[in-house]
Structures are given as structure tokens and as C-alpha cells.
Amino acid sequence: MGLRQVTGGLGLLCAAWGGWLLLQQPEAWRIGVWLGGAVVVHDGFVAPLVFTVAALAAAAGARLRGVPRAALIVAGSLTAIALPALLRPGGVANPTVLPLDYLRNWLLAMAAIALSTVLYAALRALTRRAGRRD
């Protein structure tokens, strides 16, 4: 049995377990609506945005492969997850419900993703350059 089959089997087990847990919830349909919304946000916002950025980068002569593309996907996914907290209206009646500064934390996460990507690209360029000199 190959790694692909083992990984696929584990994925199916996790999906079945998640479905079983979902059915144990008193209002499972609400979670289903939220999950459906996540698919709509991904397919209607994140994927086209990543595609557009990659197409613009390709038109400018840059190639987005590997880590830069993964960084865009991670940033888009994190943004989709954070949207409810980022777009919430004003204050909340109970300040303990959303107690953090979500905009600041999202910006810090985006900066960390960008910095990690730039550092990786720079390190990779340096190691390629050093490899050519030998």
C-alpha cells in the first residue's frame, strides 16, 4: 500500500469523523451553511484573486511557483477565515466574545507570511549563487 492510499484513507477517516461530530450538534445545518459559505468564499474570492495575482506576475515576467504561490494561498485562506471578525459591525454587547484586535493580528500574520516568503526567496537566491561559484 502506497503513501497516497494511506494518506487518502486517513483523509476519509477524518472526514467521516468530522461528519459524525457534525451530526451530533443540535443545529448542524448552521455549521453546514457556514461550511458552504467557506466554499463560496474560496471559489468566488480566494481562488480568482490568487489566479489574478499569478497572471499579473507572469505578465510582468515574474514566475510564481512553489513558496510564493503557497504564500498567496495561505494568505488568502487566512483572510477568508478572518473575514467574519474583520468585518464585524462596531462593538459587541459582550466584550469577551471577540476580545482581540483582529485587524492588527491579521496584518501581523500577513506581514509574517510576506517576510517569510521574501526571506526564503533571498536565501534560495544566495544558495543558487553560491552553488554557481563553486
Side-chain angles (χ1 to χ4, degrees):
M1 184 177 290
L3 179 63
R4 180 177 268 174
Q5 287 82 11
V6 170
T7 306
L10 288 173
L12 288 173
L13 283 173
C14 287
W17 183 45
W20 182 77
L21 291 175
L22 175 64
L23 293 175
Q24 304 304 313
Q25 300 301 313
E27 294 185 9
W29 66 271
R30 288 182 186 238
I31 298 170
V33 168
W34 187 87
L35 290 173
V39 170
V40 169
V41 167
H42 176 270
D43 292 352
F45 175 72
V46 175
L49 180 63
V50 169
F51 177 78
T52 302
V53 170
L56 290 174
R63 290 184 355 178
L64 285 179
R65 295 184 181 241
V67 172
R69 186 179 293 175
L72 283 172
I73 292 168
V74 169
S77 299
L78 183 62
T79 300
I81 291 168
L83 274 178
L86 293 173
L87 298 178
R88 69 171 187 212
V92 293
N94 182 352
T96 62
V97 172
L98 295 172
L100 303 175
D101 185 352
Y102 290 97
L103 178 60
R104 183 202 65 199
N105 293 342
W106 176 79
L107 289 171
L108 288 172
M110 294 297 115
I113 293 168
L115 181 63
S116 299
T117 305
V118 168
L119 288 175
Y120 175 83
L123 182 62
R124 189 168 179 188
L126 287 174
T127 56
R128 282 185 181 168
R129 195 172 302 147
R132 290 183 190 151
R133 282 190 247 161
D134 293 338

